[in-house]
Amino acid sequence: MRAIAVVVVLLCLVTATSVADAAGKRPAKHHEKAKTKKRVALTTPAKPSTVETKNKRDRSIGAPWSGRLQTPARLNAGERYHLRRPWRTYGTRTTVELVRQAIVDTLDGAPKAHILAVGDLSQESGGWITEHASHQSGRDVDIGLFFKKKPAGYPAAFVRATPSTLDLAATWKLIWNFARTRTEDGGAQFIFLDRSLQTALYRWAEKQGISDKRIASVAAVLRHEPNHDNHIHVRFKCRERDTSCR
Ligand SMILES: [Zn+2]
């Protein structure tokens, strides 16, 4: 009898410990034992993750214009952005997470902005992809612009902007949220955008009193590229651990 009692006590202790582990730092209470499973679920984000990863051994190999991708992450759909071609939304885990975060931060900071068009990252295994010279190694993304009035055809397609049709405030936020990652491992290396739109954005930023430091951060990565007046193209740096990334 005594032996059974000891076993029961030990079992209770083990169960209580695993409940405490599952619940993190919060102390476990007896009546919550049955809810262990539910509590674990609650520690994950309430919204479904927008990043889908097979494992953490993702690799960017070679150059963006001659490279490939291994065990990538995938950018999933979101409520306020539209994936133009969901089968081309693969990247390194870092790229996908930075893209997702920049989009979410931008949309949170611009609650009245219209839906955002998100274009191609890379294909699942990377490699050559139609309509692009790069986008081969999971370190590039094309993202549409924000307009004062959402134009016809958008977000299914990118639409050309002019300084007068562009929503300067929301587009600046989008660019800033990428530019701010430039000092991180695998952060933004370049953001390509037509010069005429850049000029309008810098003028707007100065007028708004955006700090010189922040403007300089944007200028450090923003580059002119022809045919980039209907989207921005963000190129991310090689991560330190991607030794065959160029
Ligand atoms: Zn591109």
Side-chain angles (χ1 to χ4, degrees), residues 128-154:
W128 185 79
I129 182 169
T130 57
E131 295 175 41
H132 301 281
S134 58
H135 289 258
Q136 294 195 16
S137 58
R139 295 193 289 120
D140 296 277
V141 63
D142 288 340
I143 297 190
L145 305 170
F146 287 108
F147 297 83
K148 285 173 184 155
K149 187 176 178 290
K150 186 173 79 68
Y154 186 103

Side-chain angles (χ1 to χ4, degrees), residues 7 15 17 35-36 47 73 75 117 120 161 170 173 175 178 193 207 209 219-220 227-228:
V7 168
T15 316
T17 310
K35 293 181 183 170
T36 305
K47 283 184 205 164
L75 180 68
D120 295 341
K173 278 197 178 89
I175 290 171
F178 281 106
L193 179 69
K207 221 171 139 189
N227 304 317
H228 282 65

